[in-house]
Amino acid sequence: MSTRLTVPTAHPYEVVIGNGVHDQLRGLVGADVRRVAIIHAPTMAAQAARLRAPLAADHLEVHLIEVPDSEQAKTADVLAFCWKVLGGAGFTRSDVIVGLGGGATTDLAGFVAASWLRGVRFVNVPTTVLGMVDAAVGGKTGINTAEGKNLVGAFHEPVGVLCDLDVLAGLPAREMRSGMAEVIKCGFIADPTILDLVEAAPDAVADPTSSIVAELITKGIAVKARTVAGDLHETGADGSIGREALNYGHTFGHAIERFEHYRVRHGEAISIGMVFVAELAHRSGLIEKDLLDRHRAVLSLVGLPTAYLRPGIWEALSTTMRLDKKTRGDQLRFVVLEELAGPTILAGPDESVLVDCYRAVSS
């Protein structure tokens, strides 16, 4: 059994969620394709070979492009390496890129597809909870620079996404927890039933084979699909917060990632970032203390960090945040809650309040 969710953008595509759905890759690749490049991390080499076999049996020319693991893949040098492989193989606009792996791999693969010949088709095959719920859906692609995370990229939507839940059984516990941060984020900004599920069965959330995990992933993807459909390019043109809501916890979280040279998992940093902006919303008079406390409680239930015990580095984090994509001029902007499932933008908060929020999560 599988679930299909449509991302109803100008060029709609389906996200297929279930066990054993990798065998649907051939249908997503398309009938007119001659060459397929599967971009994957070293840990996904065996899975890449399994994906390759039926494509090759159908007389497609399949190239396996191995890239570094995690955020080390998202560099200009790795991007150029991928271009070199595509150029050597004679990739044309009718050929297809497949991104197999976690969020960093699918971010890179999407940008390779967006930049090669000004845009070729690509399919995402995420292999982590984080990749399924966040990176693989929505068409945000990109790489990092020395100055910050995801500062170079493009909006380029996949033609389909395959979320095979079977692969989660092999995930390390820390990776499962990290991915759940993005799921819980969706609960705070849009679908509180996610929080209810986590609170009711925290032990099941740690079991990648549980029906609760499948339900949480499906709900998280549904939030992402609805949100990006209304504001694909994050313009907020209709006057609403739009897609920016998905950045809840990310401004402070990305600063932590950058400062720690990505040794802290994305979800761990975003978990702390959500507590930071909950503190900011509470201290700015937007939410009550019980909603602030619920952030710490729910995130702690699944073993995610709610504090960043690095006092004395506010200036470094603040400098990094000012390079965040949500910043306008010199004005910091944060996604915060006015109420549960009621996100908004708080622009230019007082520096002293931000320092107090930092102290609250660093001690």
Side-chain angles (χ1 to χ4, degrees), residues 128-130 133 165 168-169 171-185 193-217 219 297-304:
T128 64
V129 176
L130 175 63
V133 175
L165 302 179
L168 300 182
L171 274 188
R174 185 181 179 190
E175 195 65 49
M176 276 292 297
R177 289 194 298 271
S178 177
M180 279 299 157
E182 290 285 357
V183 178
I184 291 169
K185 176 200 75 178
T193 65
I194 289 173
L195 307 180
D196 297 336
L197 283 169
V198 172
E199 290 166 334
D203 291 340
V205 176
D207 179 3
T209 65
S210 73
S211 61
I212 293 294
V213 167
E215 185 175 1
L216 287 170
I217 288 173
K219 284 179 175 290
V298 173
L299 293 165
S300 296
L301 277 176
V302 299
L304 283 163

Side-chain angles (χ1 to χ4, degrees), residues 268-309:
E268 294 166 346
I270 299 315
S271 177
I272 299 165
M274 283 190 279
V275 177
F276 178 87
V277 290
E279 286 279 358
L280 178 58
H282 175 59
R283 292 166 188 267
S284 301
L286 296 174
I287 64 171
E288 299 296 330
K289 189 174 185 299
D290 59 348
L291 183 50
L292 165 60
D293 292 341
R294 194 178 188 188
H295 281 71
R296 286 191 168 90
V298 173
L299 293 165
S300 296
L301 277 176
V302 299
L304 283 163
T306 59
Y308 180 52
L309 303 180

Side-chain angles (χ1 to χ4, degrees), residues 36-120:
V36 176
I38 301 176
I39 297 176
H40 66 92
T43 53
M44 287 290 111
Q47 184 61 45
R50 284 192 289 272
L51 290 183
R52 179 187 183 276
L55 299 176
D58 201 25
H59 309 294
L60 298 183
E61 182 182 312
V62 184
H63 299 264
L64 302 184
I65 305 178
E66 185 172 292
V67 298
D69 197 20
S70 302
E71 297 294 326
Q72 301 308 310
K74 294 173 60 174
T75 69
D77 287 343
V78 175
L79 179 66
F81 166 71
C82 293
W83 288 337
K84 182 176 181 180
V85 175
L86 297 183
F91 259 64
T92 71
R93 282 186 173 169
S94 62
D95 297 326
V96 175
I97 306 292
V98 174
L100 170 69
T105 304
T106 58
D107 278 355
L108 169 71
F111 193 38
V112 172
S115 54
W116 185 252
L117 300 177
R118 297 188 178 92
V120 298

Side-chain angles (χ1 to χ4, degrees), residues 8-26:
T9 56
H11 302 284
Y13 57 94
E14 287 193 329
V15 182
V16 185
I17 310 157
N19 299 96
V21 300
H22 280 177
D23 61 4
Q24 299 184 40
L25 178 60
R26 180 64 186 92

